[in-house]
Amino acid sequence: MTNFQTGAQRFSVQKNTDQMLQNLLQGNVERVKDQLNCLPFPPGSTVLDIGAGPGTLAVPLAAAGCNVTVVEPAPPMHAALAEYKKVKGVDADISIIPKVWEDVSPDEIGQFDYVVSSFAMSVPDLKDALLKMNDVARKEVHIFWFLTDPPWGRISEALWTKLHGEDYYGRPLADLVWNALYQTGIYASLEVLPLKDSHYYESFEEALDEYVDRLAATEDWQIRLVEDYLKEQMTEVSGKGLVLPEDGLYAHIWWKK
């Protein structure tokens, strides 16, 4: 049992989607360039992007001439994707399947040349999710996922038991994803990359609101605990705002059919 919201749950809340889109538009998601370098798909390729969010990869792939379909269950993200396309001047259509990946049937969507999953592996059945990706791919599958805990994972690990008196069970990391593939007979390649995202907060109160929500802290003493932790961990960057340490790693896991 995990102690975190899935992406579908978190980004069904408008303010969280708005925050993610703004980070993308402001250029704070620096890892995107590295990810796109891993995805040199030829123009005309069909691409399925699972958990596409505001189109972080889908929009530039569509701009490069790919025929992109996204699996994205959160309605606010559909509007964010349209806004990102507009800002980037991308006219290409991007089809949306408004479901979580576990509810998608391969029979209903067919196959795609390439399947991409970028930071969308919070799934109830890891093996089933991976095998389904393999089933709908004609050529390659590319997965990007955390190799070390991001800041919100480290905060949860540090505070969850103190806040709620129960063990913290976080997301499976990339080593488990690779091992799950190995157990199914898929021998994937793995590349380690630096997680360059920087999430800046205009005020301490903005950061506190986010982590109080993430950690389900409702009592005054719980909120004070989160507040004390953030005051100890956050630093200020001139001209940008407050930020948590961003020194994590992620993995690019891929295989050919």
Side-chain angles (χ1 to χ4, degrees), residues 17-240:
T17 295
D18 292 344
Q19 190 177 67
M20 186 174 183
L21 178 60
Q22 285 307 306
N23 276 329
L24 188 58
L25 294 175
Q26 291 167 7
N28 296 331
V29 191
E30 295 182 27
R31 61 171 160 80
V32 173
K33 293 179 182 178
D34 292 337
Q35 289 183 274
L36 291 172
N37 285 337
C38 296
L39 308 173
F41 304 151
S45 299
T46 56
V47 179
L48 181 69
D49 185 357
I50 299 167
T56 306
L57 298 180
V59 169
L61 287 172
C66 294
N67 298 315
V68 182
T69 298
V70 302
V71 176
E72 177 50 61
M77 281 298 183
H78 304 164
L81 190 152
E83 177 66 17
Y84 191 41
K85 279 180 57 181
K86 181 180 177 181
V87 170
K88 290 297 184 180
V90 176
D91 294 326
D93 289 333
I94 297 177
S95 300
I96 298 175
I97 300 172
K99 296 182 178 182
V100 291
W101 180 234
E102 54 266 28
D103 290 344
V104 175
S105 166
D107 293 337
E108 72 178 298
I109 63 171
Q111 287 194 307
F112 299 80
D113 295 328
Y114 302 97
V115 174
V116 177
S117 171
S118 179
F119 299 96
M121 293 305 299
S122 295
V123 292
D125 188 322
L126 181 59
K127 181 179 178 182
D128 181 70
L130 293 169
L131 288 176
K132 194 187 298 185
M133 292 177 195
N134 190 63
D135 287 344
V136 301
R138 291 192 190 95
K139 296 181 179 180
E140 297 173 5
V141 179
H142 294 261
I143 295 171
F144 300 96
W145 190 237
F146 302 106
L147 187 60
T148 60
D149 267 336
W152 57 88
R154 294 196 293 269
I155 290 176
S156 296
E157 186 172 4
L159 296 183
W160 189 270
T161 300
K162 295 177 182 178
L163 290 169
H164 301 290
E166 62 183 27
D167 292 338
Y168 172 72
Y169 300 99
R171 295 168 172 81
L173 297 175
D175 58 333
L176 292 181
V177 174
W178 191 92
N179 273 289
L181 288 165
Y182 180 84
Q183 290 170 16
T184 67
I186 296 173
Y187 307 117
S189 299
L190 186 149
E191 179 183 10
V192 178
L193 297 165
L195 188 64
K196 298 177 180 178
D197 298 13
S198 296
H199 185 169
Y200 295 99
Y201 299 89
E202 293 183 2
S203 67
F204 181 80
E205 289 71 24
E206 181 186 354
L208 181 61
D209 285 346
E210 175 175 334
Y211 282 97
V212 163
D213 180 54
R214 282 183 179 270
L215 293 164
T218 56
E219 303 289 337
D220 288 345
W221 67 269
Q222 292 175 316
I223 295 170
R224 285 195 299 272
L225 194 62
V226 177
E227 183 177 5
D228 290 344
Y229 184 92
L230 290 176
K231 284 180 177 177
E232 181 180 325
Q233 295 292 321
M234 299 194 83
T235 57
E236 185 167 4
V237 178
S238 179
K240 291 189 174 182

